[in-house]
Amino acid sequence: MWKKRDIVRVCTVIIVTIVGWGLIRLIFPSLDYYPPESLINNLERSWVVIAGIRKLAMACYATLALIVMAILFGVVQQRWPGRGSLKGLAFGASFGIVWFFGFLGGWAFLGTTLRAELLNGVVDLIPLAIAGWLIGLAVGRDVPHSVQRVPRPWLAILLVAFGFLAVHALGATFFNDLVGSASSLLFVPTNPLQIALLAGLGLWTGGTYIVLRAGLPGESTWARVAFFAFGVFGFSWTWFHMFLVIIDLAGLLHVGLLAGLMGAVGAFAGAFIYEWLASRPADNL
């Protein structure tokens, strides 16, 4: 997919992004992220914290996120219409917005302050968007715009949003008692604010699916939808949840994986139903 020159360029972008990302948190310690008091007081701290290598672990975490993001972009952008740099910016921003919603989940579900989570969201959104733009400049290719239209894009957005919200809510409620004191990490919706936040993330995910739809790889519908749901969206949403259970808290890897998987399954269901409806001539979508 990439030549040696492309790999060097992407590695350079990742290194520059990690250095800039890290400097922001070093120069402004108030922007560093720490888990809510409710979690620290009730759950065991990870060996990363005990060993005093939290900063190093955060750098490794961010590096892996950028590597996977670059690989996914390299696959999608080959058939995705548009300019390479702008596609990279949009792709990086799509990751950042998913994380932004995740941080808002800390305010809605874990009792943190809105100001703190807005700052956390912006601090991660900007580097991810810039990294995507730079990766697009480095290895992106310009693809002519297609005249083929997306049938009823609003339907895809609504179906993906509904699928995400329904599966996440049902799954989180079902597993709530099974994970014990870590249940708050599942983001179980119990009030209108929490439901609205998850619905907003679902709508964003549906919109992202429409934007990336033309570039998704695979010959079959299920393969293209699965690449988006479990690859593009699934990775970003799951990897966000993995931060706390890898960096700060011990013995909760399964909770982070479960939280991410529920959302990915919901997005897959919604997008697949849309594609099934769109393929039926009688519906005239």
Side-chain angles (χ1 to χ4, degrees):
M1 180 176 65
W2 286 339
K3 298 179 180 179
K4 182 178 180 180
R5 178 184 60 184
D6 296 328
I7 296 175
V8 171
R9 289 176 176 176
V10 170
C11 289
T12 301
V13 168
I14 291 174
I15 292 172
V16 170
T17 302
I18 292 298
V19 171
W21 208 344
L23 285 176
I24 291 175
R25 296 189 181 276
L26 286 176
I27 297 175
F28 303 101
S30 61
L31 296 180
D32 204 353
Y33 181 78
Y34 293 97
E37 291 288 337
S38 58
L39 296 179
I40 295 178
N41 296 333
N42 296 323
L43 299 172
E44 181 182 355
R45 301 306 300 274
S46 71
W47 68 270
V48 169
V49 175
I50 297 174
I53 57 172
R54 188 174 186 270
K55 297 292 185 183
L56 176 61
M58 291 175 67
C60 293
Y61 171 92
T63 300
L64 184 56
L66 293 176
I67 290 174
V68 175
M69 186 180 78
I71 293 173
L72 292 172
F73 173 74
V75 175
V76 172
Q77 66 106 16
Q78 296 182 52
R79 297 191 299 181
W80 181 13
R83 296 188 59 180
S85 58
L86 295 180
K87 291 189 296 184
L89 176 63
F91 199 81
S94 71
F95 267 62
I97 295 295
V98 169
W99 287 22
F100 196 93
F101 273 102
F103 280 118
L104 291 180
W107 164 61
F109 293 89
L110 303 179
T112 58
T113 66
L114 178 59
R115 178 181 181 277
E117 299 303 358
L118 288 174
L119 286 174
N120 286 324
V122 170
V123 167
D124 282 358
L125 169 59
I126 293 176
L128 286 170
I130 292 176
W133 175 62
L134 292 175
I135 292 171
L137 285 174
V139 298
R141 54 182 295 188
D142 297 343
V143 178
H145 286 276
S146 173
V147 296
Q148 184 178 7
R149 70 181 183 89
V150 178
R152 294 191 184 180
W154 59 268
L155 181 60
I157 295 173
L158 292 179
L159 285 173
V160 171
F162 179 78
F164 169 81
L165 178 59
V167 174
H168 178 94
L170 291 174
T173 302
F174 177 79
F175 291 109
N176 185 35
D177 294 333
L178 299 180
V179 298
S181 57
S183 60
S184 58
L185 294 175
L186 292 179
F187 288 3
V188 183
T190 58
N191 61 53
L193 172 63
Q194 295 170 345
I195 294 173
L197 181 65
L198 292 174
L201 175 55
L203 291 171
W204 174 261
T205 305
T208 304
Y209 176 72
I210 289 299
V211 172
L212 299 180
R213 183 173 180 264
L216 297 175
E219 297 300 324
S220 62
T221 298
W222 73 265
R224 294 192 297 272
V225 172
F227 184 89
F228 171 79
F230 297 101
V232 178
F233 170 71
F235 172 76
S236 60
W237 183 233
T238 302
W239 197 237
F240 173 83
H241 282 282
M242 296 302 288
F243 181 87
L244 283 177
V245 302
I246 291 178
I247 307 296
D248 288 302
L249 304 174
L252 297 176
L253 186 64
H254 62 294
V255 178
L257 290 172
L258 184 60
L261 183 61
M262 290 186 301
V265 170
F268 176 84
F272 191 83
I273 291 173
Y274 166 75
E275 295 294 347
W276 175 72
L277 292 173
S279 67
R280 298 177 65 189
D283 290 334
N284 293 318
L285 295 179

